[in-house]
């Protein structure tokens, strides 16, 4: 790791990680801290994350996304669609060093930032692909598609159904409006032989006051 960004004297005051976060990340905690510092400095300066998010960087972003790792196995190949600042792909990569993570992001500047951060964090299990996910049909296959704040479930299904291997899954982080999205997706699920969605409410072993909501859809 280089001296950036921890060597910066203008590091903003980042939310203190809630009790239990260090144990949750285990050996990867120092790297998770450094990721938080990247988000709070160049992440904001490059426009990948809003300045107000610094106060809730751990709860609302890093931990909120890290819970997806609870659904991931060592053999999984994950396509993180619309990765942006590496969410949820980077927290998953920290917690599942054996799994392979592909951060899929079309915007050049975001890809540049991700490249810098992934290299600095020394994440050997992460690859970055500059593309729209629907352009990757016939090029890439994933056992898991992850996504947060990208598109409604119907669009996500249309974009990703042909890059998910049989038996593979979509794991989408969703807000409270997910039920409505899933009603609209019902026909598509049937058409493309996808399972009925399961919604998991996950709190990172009691760490998160506001739990994350993970929607799982399986390709039959
Ligand atoms: C609102 S951001 C969410 C970023 C991140 N997932 C998060 O939760 O902070 C949506 C991202 O999806 C990307 N995106 C838009 N269309 C896409 C597509 N067709 N395939 C892959 N990514 C796409 C955008 O460039 C943007 O970075």
């Amino acid at each position: 790791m280089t001296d950036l960004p921890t060597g910066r004297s203008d590091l903003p005051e980042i939310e203190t990680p809630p009790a239990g976060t260090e144990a949750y990340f285990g050996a990867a905690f120092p790297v998770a801290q450094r990721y938080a510092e990247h988000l709070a400095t160049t992440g904001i300066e490059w426009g990948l994350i809003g300045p107000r998010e610094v106060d809730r960087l751990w709860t609302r972003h890093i931990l909120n996304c890290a819970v997806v790792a609870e659904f991931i196995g060592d053999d999984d190949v994950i396509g993180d669609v619309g990765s942006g600042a590496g969410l949820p792909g980077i927290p998953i990569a920290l917690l599942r060093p054996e799994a392979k993570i592909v951060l899929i992001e079309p915007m050049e500047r975001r890809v540049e930032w991700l490249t810098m951060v992934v290299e600095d964090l020394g994440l050997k299990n992460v690859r970055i692909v500059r593309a729209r996910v629907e352009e990757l049909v016939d090029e890439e296959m994933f056992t898991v598609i992850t996504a947060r704040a990208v598109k409604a479930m119907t669009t996500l299904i249309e974009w990703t159904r042909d890059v998910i291997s049989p038996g593979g899954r979509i794991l989408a982080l969703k807000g409270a409006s997910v039920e409505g999205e899933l009603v609209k997706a019902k026909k598509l699920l049937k058409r493309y032989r996808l399972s009925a969605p399961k919604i998991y409410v996950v709190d990172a072993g009691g760490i998160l006051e506001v739990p994350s909501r993970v929607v799982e859809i399986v390709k039959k």
Side-chain angles (χ1 to χ4, degrees), residues 16-111:
T16 304
T21 304
E22 188 167 354
Y24 190 76
F25 276 95
F29 183 63
V31 189
Q33 279 182 305
R34 194 168 171 96
Y35 175 51
E37 291 174 7
H38 273 290
L39 288 170
T41 52
T42 50
I44 290 171
E45 288 153 17
W46 291 37
L48 280 99
I49 197 153
R52 282 188 309 187
E53 303 308 313
V54 177
D55 285 345
R56 45 191 188 184
L57 217 45
W58 285 96
T59 44
R60 185 83 171 260
H61 297 284
I62 300 173
L63 283 161
N64 170 275
C65 287
V67 299
V68 179
E70 295 179 20
F71 300 82
I72 302 287
D74 284 350
D75 294 336
D76 277 321
V77 180
I78 296 132
D80 184 32
V81 174
S83 198
L87 295 162
I90 290 181
I92 295 171
L94 291 173
L95 286 167
R96 291 288 175 271
E98 300 300 324
K100 293 187 179 69
I101 325 285
V102 181
L103 308 180
I104 304 162
E105 174 53 55
M107 286 180 66
E108 185 177 12
R109 187 107 172 117
R110 293 179 179 204
V111 167

Side-chain angles (χ1 to χ4, degrees), residues 67 70 201-212:
V67 299
E70 295 179 20
V201 179
V202 205
D203 65 1
I207 300 176
L208 284 173
E209 253 175 56
V210 180
S212 303

Side-chain angles (χ1 to χ4, degrees), residues 124-165:
K124 303 284 179 246
N125 58 336
V126 175
R127 186 158 59 89
I128 301 158
V129 171
R130 183 177 173 205
R132 298 174 62 83
V133 66
E134 60 273 34
E135 295 165 352
L136 297 179
V137 175
D138 296 332
E139 282 183 32
E140 304 265 0
M141 280 304 256
F142 305 102
T143 63
V144 175
I145 285 290
T146 56
R148 185 183 80 153
V150 180
K151 284 282 176 189
M153 201 52 102
T154 45
T155 309
L156 196 61
I157 289 169
E158 291 284 13
W159 280 358
T160 62
R161 64 193 165 90
D162 289 331
V163 293
I164 305 171
S165 47

